[in-house]
Amino acid sequence: MTLPAPMLSLLSRMGGAAFVGVLLCAIPFEFTGAPTLGYMASALTVFGLACYAPLLSWGRRAFLLIGLALILLAALLLDRWHEDVLFALSRAAFIAAFFTALTAMRGAAMTDPGILDCGRFLAGQPPGRRYLALTLGGHLFGLVLMYGSISLLGALSADAAGREPNPEIRQHRTRRMLVAILRGFISTLPWSPLAFASAITLSVVPGATWIDALPFCLFSALMFAGTGWALDTIFKPRLSAPPPPRGPAEGQWLRHMRPLYLLMAVILGSVSLLHLVTGVRVFGAVMAAVPVIALVWVTLQAAPGNRSAAIPARRARQFATQELPALKGELSLVAMAGFIGALGAPLALPVMQGAGLDLAAIPAPLFLVGLFWLIPLTGQLGMNPILAVSLIGPLLPAPEALGIPPALLVCTITSAWALSGVTSPFTASVLLIANFGKVSPARAGLRWNGPFALTCGALTSLWLVGLALVL
């Protein structure tokens, strides 16, 4: 039975308000660890998902039904099932709060003319440096806007390429611009403190910290971005006729990109300062700092004479009742993926133990390479990386049992997450690129990026084996 439109609208607003409440509980929980705040965040997550349930497609509702089925299985099979369910709910609440915080930043960025000018400048670069510019842009925008970077740069690039009258050049240009954006974006996943890849991975690898993993993960990020540029340079498409000459893009890099550089400096500086002064983990600092920066930012976007306390209040209300509900499908998906993975792990552990599987007996280099390829493989089967890592992570042996530092295990998982993000036709990143390129997700993920993924996968495998043998 379909609910009346006023009821659906009310549920949408209530759901958005609930997830804002999740964020407001999760922030002080990160600083205090007070159990009551954790329980409140979990309860609000359940309430928000319940509000959104009638508004979701059946594909998204399936995740809710799977979650309910796992709760029943846990009650039947696990002795301490209530503790496992509460832990899974806390994981879902953390993911929902993190998503909500980053969405606030994305909403503020999308209304800033300076940020839009940065995107136009990158999309307008001439051949020869356009790929590198868009890779850099996809990376920098991805740090701040998550998938919004693909939406922003993808739309601008598709529009710029669409103005090319030669259909052959237009086709090649569209593909190269879009894959540059995608590869730049996924190169943020191994290391960015504002990415789910780092946040989820660090929560499932015991003893791991973002600072310790950063050098390894940065190298992986550089390898992904550099490999994409090298392949594009080496295998440039051959045209049937010489392209027309084009001049350089107008303006200077520093002037056009200043708004993005400034925003990144403010975010990273605020998060670092909060982390160092308070000792709260990096992702807690992100959740605390980013919404405040977003509110200040939208206030500064108003004309100097019109700035007042009413602006952030109005924008916060709009965010809770309009912007966040517009992403209800994505929010529900990532929250439930975390819940299903966290609750599925204790259900799967007895099965593994009964089968006599001892993953710690596998040599570390072989184990890391196998794990690295497993995650993108599950992506081809339709498993969201959040779900895959949340499910697989708790089943892995401790890094000490493998004889490797926790940072190396973090690098393996986040690098694999990036590879899944560039190839899986079920990820939001590939779906967005396919939409702008007017091709199927399978073509965008495997045909456009298959050779890139195999090359990066081979290089990363060698990198992981070398580290496992040296460290």
Side-chain angles (χ1 to χ4, degrees), residues 343-384:
L343 188 54
L347 288 168
L349 186 59
V351 178
M352 290 184 58
Q353 293 174 340
L357 294 177
D358 183 11
L359 298 179
I362 303 174
L366 182 60
F367 176 86
L368 292 177
V369 172
L371 176 62
F372 171 75
W373 286 102
L374 175 63
I375 293 172
L377 177 61
T378 61
Q380 296 301 316
L381 301 176
M383 189 176 290
N384 185 285

Side-chain angles (χ1 to χ4, degrees), residues 69 77 106 149 164 203 319:
L77 302 176
R106 180 172 71 174
S149 64
E164 170 59 52
S203 70
F319 173 76

Side-chain angles (χ1 to χ4, degrees), residues 265-308:
V266 171
I267 293 175
L268 296 179
S270 301
V271 169
S272 300
L273 181 63
L274 195 57
H275 169 66
L276 294 174
V277 170
T278 66
V280 69
R281 61 175 180 161
V282 169
F283 304 102
V286 168
M287 286 194 292
V290 163
V292 176
I293 295 172
L295 288 175
V296 173
W297 192 7
V298 296
T299 303
L300 294 177
Q301 290 176 26
N306 295 328
R307 293 170 185 168
S308 68

Side-chain angles (χ1 to χ4, degrees), residues 147 182 185-186 189 376 385 416-424 427-430:
Y147 298 110
L182 176 59
F185 167 76
I186 62 99
L189 301 182
W417 194 311
L419 200 66
S420 183
V422 80
T423 56
S424 172
T427 57
S429 51
V430 173

